[in-house]
Amino acid sequence: MPVLAAFIGYVTKLVAIEMMFRPVEFLGRPPLLGWQGIVPRNVGRIGSVSVNLLLGRLINPNQLLSRMDPAEFTEQLREPLQQAVTDIGTDLLAKYQPQLWEMLPDQARSLLLRQVAAQAPKAVAELMADFARNPDSYLDTRDMALSNLADDRGVLNRLIRDVGGPELRFIARSGLYFGLIIGLLQALVWGLTHEPLVMPVFGALVGLSTDWLALKMIFYPREERRFLFGLVRYQGLFQKRRMQVAGDYGKVIADEVLTVPKIVNALLTGPRSDRLLALVQRHVSRVVDRQLGVARPLVVLSIGSERYRAFKADAAKRALDLLNAPPGRGPDLEPAMAYAKEALGVERTVVSAMRALTPLEFESVLRPAFRQDEWKLILVGGILGAIVGELQLLVLVGH
């Protein structure tokens, strides 16, 4: 009986843990028949709590973005800019002024493109300066983080599993230890009563109590306390691992949530992307107008004012599209992206801020995954425990 009770405790915990995260998509016939992992099913609520903690307490997005030096970033973009200007300029001039472009000798074409490319870094620096003055106008960081979690529900799974891995393993092991203790009591009661209900009742008791106790031991007490006349010192496992948890959490945030490519994608496709397009169009327009100089009225006259404006708008859109192009389909932006990641310093910022949290604030990093739905985990453990208890009874009757 003690062995089977330990088995019940361990298996029910493993099943309950997996039911937190799997399946990622609903499996069955909604709304009653089927199951979806608690974390992916509640990605909006849990993700919202996590993002509120991240942006409200751990980092200030505006401060992060202000760390980027426009001059250094522009220098990293110099070669990609030259390639982009060549590609975009060639395509658009052939599209909007095909006859003039064909008439120009190769040397004149190259000279024109080099002159535009020489002005591009200045335009990028000016654009970044405008962006740095008011980044909230162009980037909704909260919407970006929530969208990333909603688009890939596995990210929130990994965030919680990576950060709380030791605690989840403790929950499973606790079922083994507590189940063994309760199983000894179960054997004693059975030996005295031979009551059939002892099996399912104790099975349910093992599943319910060990889940509840394990969850409490993860988070409480928040500060180290002494028990048994000071002989035993104990602190909630999650609180005790604060330094390690901060490192793990910061790494996942930097690698999967607030990454440079995802920031760029949010700038280009987020709810405020139209403002960024308008900003880029304004700076591209300045470059084109400055390059044409005194010849600008003649160009406008030859192609028409509407097509001239369309030309500049098209150039701005093509420039933004290159930023979001798949690897190998556009200019090499890796050096610039690497610089941006290092300059932003998301991981070290999150780690430092997490280590400064109060115990209650620190608990909120993992607690939202359990708090509202932990009763479901405890109930599942009790139901599974009762079922296995019935199997125990069948084994005893068989003998």
Side-chain angles (χ1 to χ4, degrees), residues 65 138-156 158 251-271 276 323-324 337 340-341 344 346:
L65 295 170
Y138 308 101
L139 177 64
D140 187 336
T141 313
R142 188 176 189 278
D143 177 81
M144 178 195 71
L146 288 174
S147 296
N148 290 341
L149 295 178
D151 293 342
D152 183 359
R153 295 170 185 264
V155 171
L156 190 59
R158 291 190 293 275
K251 181 172 178 56
V252 175
I253 293 297
D255 291 347
E256 300 204 48
V257 180
L258 295 183
T259 67
V260 175
K262 288 183 177 180
I263 292 175
V264 171
N265 184 65
L267 283 168
L268 300 178
T269 62
L276 179 68
L323 278 176
N324 214 25
M337 293 297 182
K341 180 178 180 180
L344 293 178
V346 172

Side-chain angles (χ1 to χ4, degrees), residues 85-86 90 93 101 104-117:
V85 168
T86 300
T90 301
L93 287 171
W101 188 244
L104 287 175
D106 292 341
Q107 187 175 3
R109 293 180 187 178
S110 299
L111 177 61
L112 176 61
L113 293 175
R114 281 200 304 270
Q115 289 175 338
V116 176

Side-chain angles (χ1 to χ4, degrees), residues 70 73-74 77 81 119-129 283 287:
F73 187 67
T74 302
L77 282 174
L81 276 175
Q119 294 189 34
K122 181 181 178 181
V124 171
E126 292 173 351
L127 188 150
M128 286 194 62
H283 285 281
V287 170

